[in-house]
Amino acid sequence: MGKKIKNYLNKNSFIKNVLLLVGGTSLGQLIVFLSSPILTRIYSPTDMGILGTFTALFTICVVFGSLRFEMAIPLPKKDNEAAKIVILCMYLLLVVSFILSILILFAGNFLLDIFNMDSLQPFIWLLPLSVIGVGLYQIFEWWAVRKKTYSILSKTKITQSSSMVITQIVMGIFNFKPSGLLIGSIIGYMGGSNKLATPFIKEYFHQIKNFKFQDCLVTLRKYSKFSGFSLGSGILNNTSQQLPVILLGAFYGIEVAGFFSLTIKVIGMPTLLISRSVGKVYLGEISAIKNSSENNLNHLNKLFINTTLKLGLLGLVPFLLLGLVAPEMFQIFFGTEWITAGYYLRYLSIMYFLQFIISPVAQTMIIFERTELQFYYDIIRFVLSVGSLLIPYYVGMSVITTILIYSITMSIMYLINLFMNYSILKGANK
């Protein structure tokens, strides 16, 4: 039996790579999940709210880090061309982080006051450091996807979770609250970057050393259209995902942001990371097929359908159970104080289920260079995301009703996204 499975995996590289990357991501998220009952008994909902708001901010800022050029790394046929994109991304990341530091120095407190985020003022200086750490990891993560070194990439996911959890628990025990949560998260996001970056730096050190400003301009021009729409989509997409924590905290209080952040930490983030891991393998496989001499579009179509159906079957039962027993589960695992977060998750479970299924195959637009279509979709999604949070609040609805309306709105948008990507693929087959 074991030999048959091994032979099957050797023949089916897509399944093998998915299992490698999802396995590491899942194990890393299991570490986070198992540590959560400890963290919720060390830190308060207010502490979690500060972490959630900070995480939302740097997740939005990191999109600007390398202006989304990192997503073009798997696309060139030659490694030398892709290496130029990696080097360009590194330089852009340093420039953007410097600009962010200047902005925080002169206008940081003013901007926090506008968005009612005064609780973040002591920690805002950590933002540029977070952007550099996460940005570097993302750049070399895409290089690893190009080189299909999924085993190394998988191990970094475990390193990230372990280092984050250990730091947060130890600092919490010594009463560094909520700074322990923030510093632990930064250390976690940066974890494993050296393992991904070292092979690239060794192989292309000479090219990095001799990379000139003119080279930057040439690469910028070559991929400007791709980055332009992709950057806009990335900003809108990330902002749409992070807005609930920011707006719920501003409207209903930082404690509500803490409850919502726990649902993201326990379910939302694992769902997103696992689906992104599958998406990276999907992107690598579909890029290889498209760049091959055969360019078998029927194979692309089959890969799209199989990926969607298998993820649907895999996630159906777990997400159904979450919708039924989330409040009771949160009360048992995280303490009575956190039962409210379980009710939030009950109404978010459908949205997370659709995100789990659809996010990986949403990379199809990138492969067929329809980034402008993704950009227009993300504009609509952003507007509806903001509207689904603002309108219920201003007409006096409860936080639970607001979250339900947000979940329904985003679920509909995920289904529209699935239809758009499949239509692009079918159109390419004609």
Side-chain angles (χ1 to χ4, degrees), residues 207-220:
Q207 195 168 333
I208 296 170
K209 186 179 178 181
N210 295 298
F211 200 69
K212 299 176 183 178
F213 181 71
Q214 188 177 357
D215 297 326
C216 285
L217 292 178
V218 171
T219 309
L220 275 168

Side-chain angles (χ1 to χ4, degrees), residues 340-354:
T340 303
Y343 286 107
Y344 291 1
L345 181 56
R346 169 172 284 172
Y347 297 112
L348 292 166
S349 58
I350 295 174
M351 181 193 77
Y352 284 137
F353 174 58
L354 292 174

Side-chain angles (χ1 to χ4, degrees), residues 396-410:
M397 293 182 178
S398 67
V399 63
I400 286 287
T401 305
T402 301
I403 288 171
L404 176 60
I405 292 171
Y406 170 77
S407 178
I408 292 171
T409 305
M410 292 300 98

Side-chain angles (χ1 to χ4, degrees), residues 189-218:
Y189 284 118
M190 293 173 68
S193 295
N194 62 317
K195 287 185 178 180
L196 297 178
T198 301
F200 176 85
I201 293 171
K202 284 182 177 178
E203 186 174 355
Y204 295 97
F205 179 76
H206 182 74
Q207 195 168 333
I208 296 170
K209 186 179 178 181
N210 295 298
F211 200 69
K212 299 176 183 178
F213 181 71
Q214 188 177 357
D215 297 326
C216 285
L217 292 178
V218 171

Side-chain angles (χ1 to χ4, degrees), residues 33-45 47-48 169 181 258 262 265-266 330-338 341:
F33 179 79
L34 294 176
S35 70
S36 294
I38 301 172
L39 292 172
T40 53
R41 286 164 173 83
I42 295 175
Y43 298 98
S44 68
D47 294 333
M48 288 290 185
I169 291 175
L181 285 173
L262 185 64
K265 182 183 180 68
V266 174
F330 272 56
Q331 185 176 20
I332 293 169
F333 280 97
F334 309 120
T336 306
E337 187 180 20
W338 296 91

